[in-house]
């Protein structure tokens, strides 16, 4: 019974990933077709679709590591270092179209053209962003006061060796 539940869970993850991928690519292709006819290329729309649909794929991949517990006392913790080290650079890369419209690539047009010619960079950074946002959240079980005391003890206890 347990293996069937895992099989269904992972099959539903695969199904949602396929749906997000199909919807994201279909919307991007349709926008490209319309842009060829009207010469109106909407960079905000492209960025939004990329972050929502391909970031959604990363979020689903991040859900595979979530552990469900039945404890009543839960504390939501955010891994700020993961968000800053992985999430912020991937957000900056995913927003390349917006940064270019704001004029940040005026002196570095070759960087912007390289990113535009290689769309997979934006898609991959959106997947990484979605995964990072979900995986940086964790739920700690137990009493809130005991968790805070443990955090204080970790922060105040350290060892220094002088030679």
């Amino acid at each position: 019974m347990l293996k069937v539940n895992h099989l269904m869970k992972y099959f539903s993850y695969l199904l949602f990933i396929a749906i997000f991928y199909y919807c994201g690519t279909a919307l991007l292709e349709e926008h490209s077709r319309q842009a060829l006819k009207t010469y109106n290329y909407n960079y905000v729309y492209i960025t939004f679709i990329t972050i929502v649909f391909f970031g959604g794929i990363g979020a689903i991949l991040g859900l595979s590591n979530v552990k469900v517990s039945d404890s009543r006392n839960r504390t939501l913790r955010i891994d700020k270092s993961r968000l800053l080290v992985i999430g912020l650079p991937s957000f900056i890369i995913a927003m390349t179209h917006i940064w270019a419209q704001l004029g940040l690539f005026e002196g570095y047009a070759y960087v912007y053209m390289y990113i535009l010619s290689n769309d997979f960079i934006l898609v991959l950074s959106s997947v990484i962003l979605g995964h990072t946002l979900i995986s940086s959240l964790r739920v700690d079980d137990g009493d809130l006061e005991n968790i805070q005391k443990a955090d204080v003890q970790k922060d105040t206890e350290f060892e220094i060796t002088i030679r």
Side-chain angles (χ1 to χ4, degrees):
M1 180 69 180
L2 185 63
K3 290 187 179 189
V4 173
N5 287 339
H6 284 302
L7 182 65
M8 289 304 295
K9 181 175 79 170
Y10 292 131
F11 181 73
S12 64
Y13 286 166
L14 179 65
L15 185 66
F16 281 120
I17 287 171
I19 289 170
F20 278 150
Y21 180 77
Y22 176 75
C23 291
T25 54
L27 288 171
L28 289 175
E29 285 178 14
E30 181 61 30
H31 180 70
S32 295
R33 268 190 241 121
Q34 292 295 325
L36 288 174
K37 292 178 185 176
T38 63
Y39 301 107
N40 186 11
Y41 197 72
N42 192 346
Y43 296 108
V44 176
Y45 180 77
I46 297 292
T47 303
F48 178 76
I49 295 299
T50 305
I51 289 177
V52 168
F53 286 100
F54 295 107
I57 291 172
I60 291 171
L61 292 173
L63 285 176
S64 63
N65 294 331
V66 173
K67 293 177 178 60
V68 179
S69 64
D70 295 332
S71 176
R72 295 279 180 202
N73 298 326
R74 290 183 234 160
T75 305
L76 183 65
R77 301 223 176 241
I78 299 172
D79 190 357
K80 295 173 192 160
S81 61
R82 180 180 290 186
L83 282 176
L84 288 175
V85 172
I86 300 172
L88 186 61
S90 62
F91 177 73
I92 289 170
I93 292 172
M95 298 286 288
T96 301
H97 291 298
I98 305 297
W99 304 134
Q101 288 299 309
L102 293 175
L104 282 132
F105 288 115
E106 287 181 7
Y108 303 102
Y110 58 91
V111 174
Y112 181 58
M113 294 307 293
Y114 178 77
I115 291 174
L116 279 182
S117 63
N118 298 310
D119 292 348
F120 66 90
I121 295 173
L122 299 176
V123 170
L124 184 63
S125 67
S126 295
V127 170
I128 291 170
L129 177 63
H131 184 274
T132 303
L133 289 176
I134 294 298
S135 65
S136 65
L137 300 174
R138 70 174 195 265
V139 177
D140 289 334
D141 295 332
D143 190 20
L144 180 61
E145 294 175 337
N146 291 337
I147 291 172
Q148 288 176 345
K149 286 180 186 176
D151 285 344
V152 169
Q153 288 176 352
K154 286 180 188 174
D155 291 338
T156 57
E157 293 179 2
F158 57 94
E159 189 174 302
I160 298 176
T161 305
I162 301 173
R163 294 182 186 196

